[in-house]
Amino acid sequence: MSLFNVFDDFDRLFDEAFARRTNGGNGSGSQLQRQQGNANSAPPVLRPRIDLHEDKEKNLVTATFELPGINKQDVNIEVRNNVLNVSGESKLSSERNEKGYVVRERRFGRFARSIPLPEGVKPEDIKASMDNGVLTVTFPRQTPEQLPKRITVS
């Protein structure tokens, strides 16, 4: 069992509990069905952890995505309709010899997260960098047009 399976089980428990409350106790929410699917369906979409930090003094929002083992070439960042979309694909495999056996582990999957942007943020104002599996995206909290302007009384 990998660490990601533990998170999947944890998410599944919350989905089931929420589905029971909203679907009259039958526990068959559509989100749960999409995630589990059947044996022939695609693997579930990975949901990378994200931290958002807002710095009012510097007028910046910093979004930090945890993408362990993923190269920056496998990450796509795009802006569409004032929504920042971060997506990509995870392709991890390892092989080791253990007590005379060859152990191969593979993990493949797609991931996607979306963050709504403040009105007026231009794509050229968004900066992104990746270091040791941590993607950091910064963008203005408010555009200059949205900042309050002081008007002096004459």
Side-chain angles (χ1 to χ4, degrees), residues 5 16 18 21 27 35 40 64 69 73 77 80-81 89 92 94 97 104 111 119 121-122 135-136 148:
N5 290 340
E16 285 177 355
F18 183 71
R21 295 191 85 189
Q35 285 184 353
N40 297 327
T64 307
Q73 295 83 5
I77 303 172
R80 185 178 302 144
N81 297 328
E89 191 168 358
L92 297 177
S94 66
N97 290 322
R104 291 186 183 121
F111 63 88
E119 284 293 323
V121 172
K122 298 178 183 100
L135 174 67
T136 304

Side-chain angles (χ1 to χ4, degrees), residues 77-85 114-117 121 123 126:
I77 303 172
E78 59 183 37
V79 176
R80 185 178 302 144
N81 297 328
N82 274 355
V83 176
L84 177 75
N85 297 304
S114 297
I115 302 172
L117 294 172
V121 172
I126 301 171

Side-chain angles (χ1 to χ4, degrees), residues 15-44:
D15 288 341
E16 285 177 355
F18 183 71
R20 282 190 199 109
R21 295 191 85 189
T22 59
N23 294 331
N26 64 7
S28 61
S30 61
Q31 182 179 9
L32 185 60
Q33 290 173 351
R34 273 192 315 244
Q35 285 184 353
Q36 289 177 339
N38 58 34
N40 297 327
S41 67

Side-chain angles (χ1 to χ4, degrees), residues 14-70:
F14 275 99
D15 288 341
E16 285 177 355
F18 183 71
R20 282 190 199 109
R21 295 191 85 189
T22 59
N23 294 331
N26 64 7
S28 61
S30 61
Q31 182 179 9
L32 185 60
Q33 290 173 351
R34 273 192 315 244
Q35 285 184 353
Q36 289 177 339
N38 58 34
N40 297 327
S41 67
V45 174
L46 302 172
R47 289 183 294 198
R49 304 298 182 234
I50 180 175
D51 291 323
L52 281 174
H53 176 72
E54 185 175 332
D55 188 343
K56 291 181 181 180
E57 291 176 11
K58 294 182 181 176
N59 193 39
L60 280 179
V61 175
T62 303
T64 307
F65 299 83
E66 295 178 12
L67 305 172
I70 297 175

